[in-house]
Coordinates of all heavy atoms in Angstrom, one line a residue:
M1 N 0.9 -1.2 0.0 CA 0.0 0.0 0.0 C 0.9 1.2 0.0 O 1.8 1.3 0.8 CB -0.9 0.0 1.2 CG -1.8 1.1 1.3 SD -2.9 1.2 2.8 CE -3.6 -0.4 2.8
S2 N 0.6 2.1 -0.9 CA 1.5 3.3 -1.0 C 1.2 4.3 0.2 O 0.1 4.2 0.8 CB 1.2 4.1 -2.3 OG -0.1 4.6 -2.3
Q3 N 2.1 5.2 0.4 CA 2.0 6.0 1.6 C 0.8 7.0 1.4 O 0.2 7.4 2.4 CB 3.3 6.8 1.8 CG 4.4 5.9 2.3 CD 5.7 6.7 2.6 OE1 5.8 7.8 2.2 NE2 6.7 6.0 3.1
S4 N 0.6 7.5 0.2 CA -0.5 8.4 0.0 C -1.9 7.8 0.2 O -2.8 8.4 0.8 CB -0.4 9.1 -1.3 OG -0.5 8.1 -2.3
L5 N -2.0 6.5 -0.2 CA -3.2 5.8 0.0 C -3.4 5.5 1.5 O -4.5 5.6 2.0 CB -3.2 4.5 -0.8 CG -4.4 3.6 -0.6 CD1 -5.7 4.3 -1.2 CD2 -4.2 2.3 -1.4
W6 N -2.3 5.1 2.2 CA -2.4 4.9 3.6 C -2.8 6.2 4.4 O -3.7 6.2 5.2 CB -1.0 4.4 4.2 CG -1.0 4.3 5.7 CD1 -1.4 3.3 6.4 CD2 -0.6 5.3 6.6 NE1 -1.3 3.5 7.7 CE2 -0.8 4.8 7.9 CE3 -0.1 6.6 6.5 CZ2 -0.5 5.5 9.0 CZ3 0.2 7.3 7.6 CH2 0.0 6.7 8.9
F7 N -2.2 7.3 4.0 CA -2.6 8.6 4.6 C -4.0 8.9 4.4 O -4.7 9.4 5.3 CB -1.7 9.7 4.0 CG -1.8 11.0 4.7 CD1 -1.4 11.2 6.0 CD2 -2.5 12.1 4.1 CE1 -1.5 12.4 6.7 CE2 -2.7 13.3 4.8 CZ -2.2 13.4 6.0
A8 N -4.5 8.7 3.2 CA -5.9 9.1 2.9 C -6.9 8.2 3.7 O -7.9 8.6 4.2 CB -6.2 8.9 1.4
L9 N -6.6 6.9 3.7 CA -7.4 5.9 4.4 C -7.4 6.2 5.9 O -8.5 6.2 6.6 CB -6.9 4.5 4.2 CG -7.8 3.4 4.8 CD1 -9.1 3.4 4.1 CD2 -7.1 2.0 4.6
T10 N -6.3 6.5 6.5 CA -6.2 6.8 7.9 C -6.8 8.1 8.3 O -7.4 8.3 9.3 CB -4.8 6.7 8.5 OG1 -3.9 7.6 7.7 CG2 -4.3 5.3 8.4
W11 N -6.8 9.1 7.3 CA -7.4 10.4 7.6 C -8.9 10.2 7.6 O -9.6 10.7 8.5 CB -7.0 11.3 6.4 CG -7.6 12.7 6.5 CD1 -8.9 13.1 6.3 CD2 -6.9 13.8 7.0 NE1 -9.0 14.4 6.5 CE2 -7.9 14.9 7.0 CE3 -5.6 14.1 7.4 CZ2 -7.5 16.2 7.3 CZ3 -5.3 15.4 7.7 CH2 -6.2 16.4 7.7
I12 N -9.5 9.4 6.7 CA -10.9 9.2 6.7 C -11.3 8.4 7.9 O -12.3 8.7 8.6 CB -11.3 8.5 5.4 CG1 -11.1 9.4 4.2 CG2 -12.8 8.0 5.5 CD1 -11.3 8.7 2.9
A13 N -10.5 7.4 8.3 CA -10.9 6.5 9.5 C -10.8 7.4 10.7 O -11.6 7.2 11.6 CB -9.9 5.3 9.5
G14 N -9.8 8.2 10.9 CA -9.6 9.0 12.0 C -10.8 10.0 12.2 O -11.3 10.3 13.3
T15 N -11.2 10.6 11.0 CA -12.3 11.5 11.1 C -13.6 10.8 11.4 O -14.4 11.3 12.2 CB -12.4 12.2 9.7 OG1 -11.2 12.8 9.3 CG2 -13.6 13.2 9.6
A16 N -13.8 9.6 10.9 CA -15.0 8.8 11.3 C -15.0 8.5 12.8 O -16.0 8.5 13.4 CB -15.1 7.6 10.4
A17 N -13.8 8.1 13.3 CA -13.7 7.8 14.7 C -14.0 9.0 15.6 O -14.8 8.8 16.6 CB -12.3 7.2 15.0
I18 N -13.5 10.1 15.3 CA -13.7 11.3 16.1 C -15.1 11.8 16.0 O -15.8 12.0 17.0 CB -12.7 12.4 15.7 CG1 -11.3 12.0 16.1 CG2 -13.1 13.7 16.3 CD1 -10.2 12.9 15.5
L19 N -15.6 11.9 14.8 CA -17.0 12.4 14.6 C -18.0 11.4 15.1 O -19.0 11.8 15.7 CB -17.3 12.7 13.1 CG -16.5 13.9 12.6 CD1 -16.9 14.1 11.1 CD2 -16.8 15.2 13.4
G20 N -17.8 10.1 15.0 CA -18.7 9.2 15.5 C -18.8 9.2 17.0 O -19.8 9.1 17.6
S21 N -17.6 9.3 17.6 CA -17.6 9.4 19.1 C -18.2 10.7 19.6 O -19.0 10.6 20.6 CB -16.2 9.2 19.6 OG -15.4 10.3 19.2
L22 N -18.0 11.8 18.9 CA -18.7 13.0 19.3 C -20.2 12.9 19.1 O -21.0 13.5 19.9 CB -18.1 14.2 18.6 CG -16.7 14.6 19.0 CD1 -16.2 15.7 18.1 CD2 -16.7 15.1 20.4
M23 N -20.6 12.3 18.0 CA -22.0 12.1 17.8 C -22.6 11.2 18.9 O -23.8 11.4 19.3 CB -22.3 11.5 16.4 CG -22.2 12.4 15.3 SD -22.3 11.6 13.7 CE -23.9 10.8 13.8
A24 N -21.9 10.2 19.3 CA -22.4 9.3 20.4 C -22.6 10.1 21.7 O -23.6 9.9 22.4 CB -21.4 8.1 20.6
L25 N -21.6 10.9 22.0 CA -21.7 11.8 23.2 C -23.0 12.7 23.1 O -23.7 12.9 24.1 CB -20.5 12.6 23.4 CG -19.3 11.9 23.9 CD1 -18.1 12.8 24.0 CD2 -19.5 11.3 25.3
G26 N -23.2 13.3 21.9 CA -24.3 14.1 21.7 C -25.6 13.4 21.8 O -26.6 13.9 22.4
S27 N -25.7 12.2 21.3 CA -26.9 11.4 21.4 C -27.2 10.9 22.8 O -28.3 10.7 23.2 CB -26.9 10.3 20.4 OG -25.9 9.3 20.7
V28 N -26.1 10.7 23.5 CA -26.3 10.3 24.9 C -26.9 11.5 25.7 O -27.8 11.3 26.6 CB -25.0 9.8 25.6 CG1 -25.1 9.7 27.1 CG2 -24.7 8.4 25.0
L29 N -26.4 12.7 25.4 CA -26.9 13.9 26.0 C -28.4 14.1 25.7 O -29.2 14.6 26.5 CB -26.2 15.1 25.6 CG -24.8 15.3 26.3 CD1 -24.1 16.5 25.7 CD2 -25.0 15.5 27.7
L30 N -28.9 13.7 24.5 CA -30.3 13.8 24.2 C -31.2 13.0 25.1 O -32.4 13.3 25.3 CB -30.5 13.4 22.8 CG -30.1 14.3 21.7 CD1 -30.4 13.7 20.3 CD2 -30.9 15.6 21.8
W31 N -30.7 11.9 25.7 CA -31.5 11.1 26.7 C -31.7 11.9 28.0 O -32.7 11.6 28.6 CB -30.8 9.8 27.0 CG -30.8 8.8 25.8 CD1 -29.9 8.7 24.9 CD2 -31.9 7.9 25.5 NE1 -30.2 7.7 24.0 CE2 -31.4 7.2 24.3 CE3 -33.1 7.6 26.1 CZ2 -32.2 6.3 23.7 CZ3 -33.9 6.7 25.5 CH2 -33.5 6.0 24.3
F32 N -30.8 12.8 28.3 CA -30.9 13.5 29.6 C -31.5 14.9 29.5 O -32.0 15.4 30.5 CB -29.5 13.6 30.3 CG -29.0 12.2 30.6 CD1 -27.8 11.8 29.9 CD2 -29.5 11.4 31.5 CE1 -27.3 10.5 30.1 CE2 -29.0 10.1 31.8 CZ -27.9 9.7 31.1
V33 N -31.4 15.5 28.4 CA -31.9 16.9 28.2 C -33.2 16.8 27.5 O -33.3 16.2 26.4 CB -30.9 17.7 27.4 CG1 -31.4 19.1 27.1 CG2 -29.5 17.8 28.1
P34 N -34.3 17.4 28.0 CA -35.5 17.4 27.3 C -35.4 18.3 26.0 O -35.0 19.4 26.1 CB -36.5 18.0 28.3 CG -35.7 18.7 29.3 CD -34.3 18.1 29.3
S35 N -35.8 17.7 24.9 CA -35.7 18.4 23.6 C -37.0 19.0 23.2 O -37.0 19.8 22.2 CB -35.2 17.4 22.6 OG -36.1 16.4 22.4
V36 N -38.1 18.6 23.8 CA -39.4 19.1 23.4 C -40.0 20.0 24.5 O -40.0 19.6 25.7 CB -40.4 18.0 23.1 CG1 -41.8 18.5 22.7 CG2 -39.8 17.1 22.1
P37 N -40.4 21.2 24.2 CA -41.0 22.1 25.2 C -42.3 21.4 25.7 O -43.0 20.7 25.0 CB -41.3 23.4 24.5 CG -40.6 23.3 23.2 CD -40.2 21.9 22.9
P38 N -42.7 21.7 27.0 CA -43.9 21.0 27.5 C -45.2 21.3 26.8 O -46.0 20.4 26.7 CB -44.0 21.6 29.0 CG -42.6 22.1 29.3 CD -42.0 22.5 27.9
R39 N -45.4 22.5 26.2 CA -46.6 22.8 25.5 C -46.8 22.0 24.2 O -47.9 21.9 23.7 CB -46.8 24.3 25.3 CG -45.7 24.9 24.5 CD -45.9 26.4 24.5 NE -44.6 27.0 24.4 CZ -44.3 28.0 23.7 NH1 -45.2 28.6 22.9 NH2 -43.1 28.5 23.7
S40 N -45.7 21.5 23.6 CA -45.8 20.9 22.3 C -45.7 19.3 22.4 O -45.4 18.6 21.5 CB -44.8 21.4 21.3 OG -43.5 21.1 21.8
R41 N -45.9 18.8 23.6 CA -45.8 17.4 23.8 C -47.0 16.6 23.1 O -46.8 15.5 22.8 CB -45.9 17.0 25.3 CG -44.6 17.4 26.0 CD -44.4 16.6 27.2 NE -43.3 17.1 28.0 CZ -42.1 16.5 28.0 NH1 -41.9 15.4 27.4 NH2 -41.1 17.0 28.7
K42 N -48.1 17.3 22.9 CA -49.2 16.7 22.1 C -48.8 16.3 20.7 O -49.2 15.3 20.2 CB -50.4 17.6 22.1 CG -51.0 17.8 23.5 CD -52.2 18.7 23.4 CE -52.8 18.9 24.8 NZ -53.9 19.8 24.8
L43 N -47.9 17.2 20.1 CA -47.4 16.9 18.8 C -46.5 15.7 18.8 O -46.5 14.9 17.8 CB -46.7 18.1 18.2 CG -47.5 19.4 17.9 CD1 -46.6 20.5 17.5 CD2 -48.6 19.1 16.9
E44 N -45.7 15.5 19.8 CA -44.8 14.4 19.9 C -45.6 13.1 20.1 O -45.3 12.1 19.5 CB -43.9 14.6 21.1 CG -42.9 13.4 21.2 CD -42.0 13.6 22.4 OE1 -41.6 14.8 22.7 OE2 -41.6 12.6 23.0
E45 N -46.7 13.2 20.9 CA -47.5 12.0 21.1 C -48.3 11.6 19.8 O -48.6 10.4 19.7 CB -48.5 12.2 22.3 CG -47.8 12.4 23.6 CD -48.7 12.8 24.7 OE1 -49.9 13.1 24.4 OE2 -48.2 13.0 25.8
A46 N -48.5 12.5 19.0 CA -49.3 12.3 17.8 C -48.4 11.6 16.7 O -48.9 11.0 15.8 CB -49.9 13.6 17.2
S47 N -47.1 11.7 16.8 CA -46.3 11.1 15.8 C -46.3 9.6 15.9 O -46.6 9.0 16.9 CB -44.8 11.6 15.9 OG -44.2 11.1 17.0
T48 N -46.0 8.9 14.8 CA -46.1 7.4 14.8 C -44.9 6.8 15.4 O -45.0 5.7 16.0 CB -46.2 6.9 13.3 OG1 -45.1 7.4 12.6 CG2 -47.5 7.5 12.7
I49 N -43.7 7.4 15.4 CA -42.5 6.8 16.0 C -42.2 7.5 17.3 O -42.1 8.8 17.3 CB -41.3 6.9 15.0 CG1 -41.6 6.2 13.7 CG2 -40.0 6.4 15.6 CD1 -40.5 6.4 12.7
P50 N -42.1 6.8 18.4 CA -41.7 7.5 19.7 C -40.3 8.1 19.6 O -39.4 7.7 18.8 CB -41.8 6.3 20.7 CG -42.5 5.2 20.0 CD -42.3 5.4 18.6
A51 N -40.1 9.1 20.4 CA -38.8 9.8 20.4 C -37.7 9.0 20.9 O -36.6 9.1 20.4 CB -39.0 11.1 21.3
W52 N -37.9 8.0 21.8 CA -36.8 7.2 22.3 C -36.3 6.3 21.2 O -35.1 6.0 21.2 CB -37.3 6.4 23.5 CG -38.3 5.4 23.3 CD1 -39.6 5.5 23.3 CD2 -38.0 4.0 22.9 NE1 -40.3 4.3 23.0 CE2 -39.3 3.4 22.7 CE3 -36.9 3.3 22.6 CZ2 -39.4 2.0 22.4 CZ3 -37.0 1.9 22.3 CH2 -38.3 1.3 22.1
Q53 N -37.2 5.9 20.2 CA -36.7 5.0 19.1 C -35.8 5.8 18.2 O -34.8 5.3 17.7 CB -37.9 4.4 18.4 CG -38.5 3.3 19.1 CD -39.7 2.7 18.3 OE1 -40.0 3.2 17.2 NE2 -40.2 1.6 18.8
N54 N -36.1 7.1 17.9 CA -35.3 7.9 17.1 C -33.9 8.2 17.8 O -32.9 8.2 17.1 CB -35.9 9.2 16.8 CG -37.0 9.0 15.8 OD1 -37.0 8.1 14.9 ND2 -38.0 9.9 15.8
R55 N -33.9 8.4 19.1 CA -32.7 8.6 19.8 C -31.8 7.3 19.8 O -30.6 7.4 19.7 CB -33.0 9.0 21.2 CG -33.6 10.4 21.3 CD -34.0 10.8 22.7 NE -34.7 12.1 22.8 CZ -35.3 12.6 23.8 NH1 -35.3 11.9 24.9 NH2 -35.8 13.8 23.8
L56 N -32.5 6.2 20.0 CA -31.7 4.9 19.9 C -31.1 4.7 18.6 O -30.0 4.2 18.5 CB -32.7 3.8 20.3 CG -32.0 2.4 20.5 CD1 -31.0 2.5 21.7 CD2 -33.0 1.4 20.8
K57 N -31.8 5.0 17.5 CA -31.3 4.8 16.2 C -30.1 5.7 16.0 O -29.1 5.3 15.4 CB -32.3 5.2 15.1 CG -33.4 4.2 15.0 CD -34.4 4.6 13.9 CE -35.6 3.8 13.8 NZ -36.6 4.3 12.9
L58 N -30.2 7.0 16.4 CA -29.0 7.9 16.3 C -27.8 7.4 17.1 O -26.7 7.5 16.7 CB -29.5 9.3 16.8 CG -28.4 10.4 16.8 CD1 -27.9 10.6 15.4 CD2 -28.9 11.6 17.4
L59 N -28.1 6.9 18.3 CA -27.0 6.3 19.1 C -26.3 5.2 18.5 O -25.1 5.1 18.4 CB -27.5 6.0 20.5 CG -26.5 5.4 21.5 CD1 -25.4 6.5 21.8 CD2 -27.2 5.0 22.8
V60 N -27.1 4.2 18.0 CA -26.5 3.0 17.3 C -25.7 3.4 16.1 O -24.6 2.9 15.8 CB -27.6 2.0 17.0 CG1 -27.2 0.9 16.0 CG2 -28.2 1.4 18.2
F61 N -26.3 4.4 15.3 CA -25.6 4.8 14.1 C -24.3 5.5 14.4 O -23.2 5.2 13.8 CB -26.5 5.8 13.3 CG -25.9 6.3 12.0 CD1 -25.7 5.5 10.9 CD2 -25.5 7.7 12.0 CE1 -25.2 6.0 9.8 CE2 -25.0 8.2 10.8 CZ -24.8 7.4 9.7
S62 N -24.2 6.4 15.4 CA -23.0 7.1 15.8 C -22.0 6.1 16.3 O -20.8 6.3 16.1 CB -23.3 8.2 16.7 OG -23.9 7.7 17.9
V63 N -22.4 5.2 17.1 CA -21.4 4.2 17.7 C -20.9 3.3 16.6 O -19.7 3.0 16.5 CB -22.1 3.3 18.8 CG1 -21.3 2.1 19.1 CG2 -22.4 4.2 20.0
A64 N -21.7 3.0 15.6 CA -21.2 2.2 14.4 C -20.2 3.0 13.6 O -19.2 2.4 13.2 CB -22.4 1.8 13.5
I65 N -20.4 4.3 13.4 CA -19.4 5.1 12.7 C -18.1 5.1 13.5 O -17.0 5.0 12.9 CB -20.0 6.5 12.5 CG1 -21.1 6.5 11.4 CG2 -18.8 7.4 12.0 CD1 -21.7 7.8 11.3
A66 N -18.2 5.3 14.8 CA -17.0 5.4 15.6 C -16.2 4.1 15.6 O -15.0 4.0 15.5 CB -17.3 5.8 17.0
L67 N -16.9 3.0 15.7 CA -16.3 1.6 15.7 C -15.7 1.3 14.4 O -14.7 0.7 14.3 CB -17.3 0.6 16.2 CG -17.7 0.6 17.6 CD1 -18.7 -0.5 17.9 CD2 -16.4 0.4 18.5
A68 N -16.4 1.7 13.3 CA -15.8 1.5 11.9 C -14.5 2.2 11.7 O -13.6 1.7 11.2 CB -16.9 1.8 10.9
G69 N -14.5 3.5 12.2 CA -13.3 4.3 12.1 C -12.2 3.7 12.9 O -11.0 3.6 12.4
L70 N -12.5 3.3 14.1 CA -11.4 2.7 15.0 C -11.0 1.4 14.4 O -9.8 1.0 14.5 CB -11.9 2.6 16.4 CG -12.1 3.9 17.2 CD1 -12.8 3.6 18.5 CD2 -10.8 4.5 17.4
G71 N -11.9 0.6 13.9 CA -11.5 -0.7 13.3 C -10.6 -0.5 12.1 O -9.6 -1.3 11.9
I72 N -10.8 0.5 11.2 CA -9.9 0.7 10.1 C -8.6 1.2 10.6 O -7.5 0.7 10.1 CB -10.6 1.7 9.1 CG1 -11.8 1.1 8.5 CG2 -9.6 2.2 8.1 CD1 -12.6 2.1 7.7
L73 N -8.6 2.0 11.6 CA -7.3 2.4 12.2 C -6.5 1.3 12.8 O -5.2 1.3 12.6 CB -7.5 3.5 13.2 CG -7.9 4.9 12.7 CD1 -8.1 5.8 13.9 CD2 -6.8 5.5 11.8
V74 N -7.1 0.3 13.4 CA -6.4 -0.8 14.0 C -5.9 -1.7 12.9 O -4.8 -2.3 13.0 CB -7.4 -1.5 14.9 CG1 -6.8 -2.9 15.4 CG2 -7.6 -0.7 16.2
V75 N -6.7 -1.9 11.8 CA -6.3 -2.9 10.8 C -5.2 -2.4 9.9 O -4.4 -3.1 9.4 CB -7.6 -3.2 10.0 CG1 -7.2 -4.0 8.7 CG2 -8.5 -4.0 10.8
T76 N -5.1 -1.1 9.6 CA -4.1 -0.5 8.7 C -2.8 -0.3 9.4 O -2.7 0.5 10.3 CB -4.6 0.8 8.2 OG1 -5.6 1.4 8.9 CG2 -4.9 0.8 6.7
P77 N -1.8 -1.1 9.0 CA -0.5 -0.9 9.7 C 0.2 0.3 9.1 O -0.1 0.8 8.0 CB 0.3 -2.2 9.3 CG -0.3 -2.6 8.0 CD -1.8 -2.1 8.1
F78 N 1.2 0.8 9.9 CA 2.0 2.0 9.4 C 2.8 1.5 8.2 O 3.5 0.5 8.3 CB 2.8 2.5 10.6 CG 3.4 3.8 10.3 CD1 2.7 5.0 10.4 CD2 4.8 3.9 9.9 CE1 3.3 6.2 10.1 CE2 5.4 5.2 9.7 CZ 4.6 6.3 9.8
P79 N 2.9 2.3 7.1 CA 3.7 1.8 6.0 C 5.2 1.8 6.3 O 5.7 2.7 6.9 CB 3.3 2.9 4.9 CG 2.9 4.1 5.6 CD 2.3 3.6 6.9
S80 N 5.8 0.8 5.8 CA 7.3 0.8 6.0 C 8.0 1.4 4.8 O 7.5 1.4 3.6 CB 7.7 -0.7 6.1 OG 7.3 -1.4 4.9
L81 N 9.1 2.0 5.0 CA 9.8 2.7 4.0 C 10.5 1.7 3.1 O 11.1 1.0 2.7 CB 10.8 3.7 4.5 CG 10.1 4.8 5.4 CD1 11.2 5.7 6.0 CD2 9.3 5.6 4.5

């Protein structure tokens, strides 16, 4: 594997690991911070998908991105000269 290809692959994997982990932290914060004002709760109850399912989907997606980035970083060895 050439050095430029290794650099591009690890750049993308590092970005995915960092952004995925930050997204996971943000989606965990959504579980603790109320995102809907009290007066519009009727609109939330009227929707077909509950809010906790959307939050869970976001958490699973962000953890998957972080793990994929970390997995690529672990698998790609440093290029030898």
Side-chain angles (χ1 to χ4, degrees):
M1 181 181 310
S2 69
Q3 289 181 353
S4 61
L5 180 61
W6 175 84
F7 186 73
L9 186 64
T10 54
W11 182 282
I12 292 169
T15 303
I18 291 169
L19 290 180
S21 61
L22 288 175
M23 283 175 59
L25 286 174
S27 62
V28 167
L29 283 176
L30 282 176
W31 287 94
F32 298 112
V33 177
S35 61
V36 179
R39 58 186 147 136
S40 65
R41 290 205 187 253
K42 292 180 183 177
L43 294 175
E44 182 182 326
E45 293 171 358
S47 70
T48 58
I49 300 174
W52 67 269
Q53 285 183 352
N54 287 332
R55 291 175 182 171
L56 186 64
K57 287 179 189 177
L58 179 62
L59 180 63
V60 168
F61 180 70
S62 58
V63 168
I65 290 174
L67 289 178
L70 288 173
I72 292 172
L73 285 176
V74 168
V75 170
T76 15
F78 193 75
S80 58
L81 298 174

